[in-house]
Amino acid sequence: IVRGGAAKAVIELVFDSSTNDAVRNFLRKHEYDDDALVIIRREIKAAGSSRFFINDSPATAAQVREIGMLIVDFHGQYEHQSVLRAAEQLRIVDALAHNDERLRRYRELYVGARNLVRERNDLQSKAEEMRASQDYRRARRDEIASIDPRPGEEEELQRELGIIAHAEELHEHTRIAYSLLYADDNAIVERLAKVRHALAHVAGIDSFFEAYVSETDAATVSLVEIAKAVQSYIDTIDFDSSRIETIRERLVQLQRLRKRYGSVEKACEEREELDRSLLLIENFDEELQRLQTSIRNAKESVLNAALEMREQRLKAGSLLARAIEEKLSELGIQHALFRIECSLRSMQSTKSEMSIEREGILYVLHEDGVDDVRMVAAMNLGEEEKSLEKVDRKSTRLNSSHANISY
């Protein structure tokens, strides 16, 4: 209930998960911060809506419910303990089998294989649309290819156009600059040489001038470099007026692309993308076969890891079942039977995309391996074995009846 006048109510629970591997695995699986401290928060607004958070990141109600079941057991007449859930039974067996590192490695392989399956499915779903648009894509690609633009070309042409339009002015002023710097009699470089000679002479008398001789040398080098650059530039100045028309026609073509694609650079990117998509269409069958091979190899690796875990689960399940039967016998339940079934998961409906056949056996891969773990028991001689949950329900009904009579 939100307090009157308040915008929202906040309920926050803080747990120490440092010894709870199941919680840490959950946090990593859903990409939450896997700190030892787990903070679960619910915010209820006065209007009635609510939001969930795990370690300050948004979460769904289902995720909060899932992590809650890994942290807290509710014990009551109509609430079953977590050990009755299949997921918890599997976790218990894995803990006894020391499967933590095997399960982590398995899940990495499983996610990789699942991503390849998704990539294959995406490719298949796009195939029909891409093939239908193949002619359109080729026409667009050919249109751009006929102009054959280059990134930055438009700016280069605009600059060149400006240079040609002012060619005479550029030639005149660069020639003047070159003459003053280097070519004329008594040019700046020649006069600076005389300055350097004078400074070198007085430096022989007073060392104060030695630094300025070096600076004069450096200035001379810079001025000579400038003169060479100006001379080279003069040689590139083009007075060809016909080039102006060629550039303007080219700019019209590029501007048409810019108007359609936003910029010449984006038109170049579009051409590359169209080339890739057309190549993919042409080689679709080969790409699909490559993915199928990768998927098969990835599933083989996943299955190997799953069977390694399964072997340990079978051993651990057998040991645990015998230990529980011994304890039940000590409690006076002499004829109790307890088994841990570790059966291969079967298809729920249609064939799973995460399945693989080996030696005539179809294995269904899921996040925790290929196994369905179930604890079954019979508490009395001749009684049919039932799942632990059904045994507990029967016990609950009997205890409830006895309690009512006693009351």
Side-chain angles (χ1 to χ4, degrees), residues 98 108 140 406:
H98 304 291
E108 287 181 356
R140 282 172 64 99
S406 175

Side-chain angles (χ1 to χ4, degrees), residues 167-184 227 230-231 233-235 237 239:
E168 292 185 4
E169 184 179 352
L170 286 168
H171 185 271
E172 179 183 354
H173 285 82
T174 51
R175 185 185 57 76
I176 292 172
Y178 178 71
S179 297
L180 291 172
L181 280 171
Y182 198 80
D184 289 353
V230 171
Q231 185 183 35
Y233 184 86
I234 292 172
D235 294 338
I237 297 175
F239 292 94

Side-chain angles (χ1 to χ4, degrees), residues 24-54:
R24 306 299 289 278
N25 288 333
F26 170 91
L27 295 172
R28 285 191 286 267
K29 171 185 170 184
H30 294 284
E31 298 182 350
Y32 291 111
D33 292 336
D34 61 339
D35 299 329
L37 275 183
V38 179
I39 303 172
I40 303 175
R41 186 170 78 252
R42 182 178 182 180
E43 297 181 358
I44 306 173
K45 294 186 178 180
S49 62
S50 65
R51 297 190 302 168
F52 294 92
F53 297 87
I54 297 175

